[in-house]
Amino acid sequence: MNGQKMFSYNSDKWTPGMAYQERDHEIIDYELYQDKKTGLWLRGPEPGRLERGRYIACVGGAQTFGCFSENPFTRLLQQALDVPVVNFGIGGAGPSFFLQNEKVFGILNEAACTIVQVMSGRSESNSVFDTGGLAYVTRRSDGRRLGARKAYQDLLRQKIIFGRKELKRIITETRDNWVQNYRSLLEKIDVPVVLFWFAMREPDFRERYLHVSTLLGKFPHLVNGEMMEAIKDGADEYVHCVTDRGNPQRLISRFTGKPAKVDPGRPRKDLKGRHWSHNFYYPSPEMHEDAAGLLVPLCKKFVA
């Protein structure tokens, strides 16, 4: 394993960063560390001592975590502003994940400002799925655990049983829960909040009940303009970053410098047999540069 520390999936307070470290071992070392206050495993390097009002906190999903990027926007912020940045990027997370982790707010509410990424709608629970705030869900009818995409794909295939009207009700319920939990998340943050749209698409999304891809749309899945308008007033600032620069990103081994592939099915059995030679899904390093270019001037006034 080239000396890289691997993690047990029975670890206390397991988070998806551990799965990313195992999956992407050939490409990148995320320098994971366990935060002492929350018990969560976060992307490093560990920021060290945090002084009230003298650091930035970032909340979000895999895009904030920075999959396949040596310098995600969080690290670029730290370098540009010369202040510690705490990266609470949790893969597959939605707003309810952070609402369930009360100790996180002890860190968010002592920062100079907190950046909250617009996260996926498919990570929200509804009357059919219990997500726990992440994108790996439990189907309520049979207790089966499966990825959110597979769960919605199965649901779509059952539209003959459910009917289109019932499917639309489930989607509306999911979106309503997302909005409610986002508003609650923003309300619990006492310091200035920057709401951050970081995606390869605009918010003007309308689902079609043809295929799981047209139902969920591109990241942030299910989120549309109406949902954004419903939460924007809960933030002090809004940053809109739509970019696909550098996408797709060729994956390169950090050991050999040659093209490499990763197995997204490790440790997830439902993705076995697929291999990625390129990163099509997560923000590329160039996209992170675009994000930092918009965030740095805004955050500068909060840490001055």
Side-chain angles (χ1 to χ4, degrees), residues 227-238:
M227 296 164 72
M228 289 302 300
E229 289 304 315
I231 67 169
K232 275 184 182 179
D233 63 357
D236 298 275
E237 304 281 355
Y238 174 62

Side-chain angles (χ1 to χ4, degrees), residues 3 38 43 107 136 172 181 189 191 195 199 208 220 226 242 246 275 278 280 289:
T38 65
R43 175 157 187 182
I107 297 175
Y136 208 68
T172 299
N181 285 325
I189 301 174
V191 299
L195 184 63
R208 292 183 295 156
E226 289 82 359
V242 175
H275 289 82
H278 290 75
F280 290 89
E289 291 172 2

